[in-house]
Structures are given as structure tokens and as C-alpha cells.
Amino acid sequence: MKLIVNGEALEAAAATLAELLAELDYEGAWLATAVNGELVRTGERQACRLRDEDRIEILSPMQGG
């Protein structure tokens, strides 16, 4: 399926947000995620079904200042 991840087109086989994060090697990382502008909490990622052309934002905290 075609997704837009952090502004870039991506072909992915993942059916859920949790599967996408695992496919992109983000599994286990501390992240903030949103699908189509809606925040998706950590506990909701497995149930969050993805559809063709969804826009996903994946943000990780930066250390330092």
C-alpha cells in the first residue's frame, strides 16, 4: 500500500501502525505518532488500521539543547 510517512511516499506491506513501525525498525523506540493529523497513542497502534494514501507522522525526541 502507498503511504506518506513524514512527507515522503513509501510502499509498505503493513496493515496497522504498529506493523509499520516494526517494518521501519522503530519498534520499541519512544515515539509520537499521528495518522492523518490525529494523535495515535502507544496502546492504540496495534488497532490503528492503515489505508492507502494515509499520512503518517513519526516523531522522536531529541536530546541536548
Side-chain angles (χ1 to χ4, degrees):
M1 124 179 37
K2 183 179 176 185
L3 302 169
I4 308 299
V5 179
N6 293 343
E8 302 215 5
L10 174 77
E11 286 289 331
T16 67
L17 182 56
E19 290 174 7
L20 177 66
L21 293 173
E23 190 174 314
L24 297 175
D25 292 325
Y26 282 117
E27 194 172 42
W30 192 93
L31 304 167
T33 55
V35 175
N36 299 321
E38 297 290 323
L39 178 69
V40 179
R41 298 183 188 282
T42 303
E44 300 168 345
R45 292 177 184 158
Q46 189 62 44
C48 181
R49 308 282 303 165
L50 299 176
R51 291 182 288 264
D52 201 39
E53 300 292 326
D54 274 348
R55 294 184 161 278
I56 294 102
E57 296 295 328
I58 303 170
L59 304 168
S60 61
M62 292 181 63
Q63 290 184 311

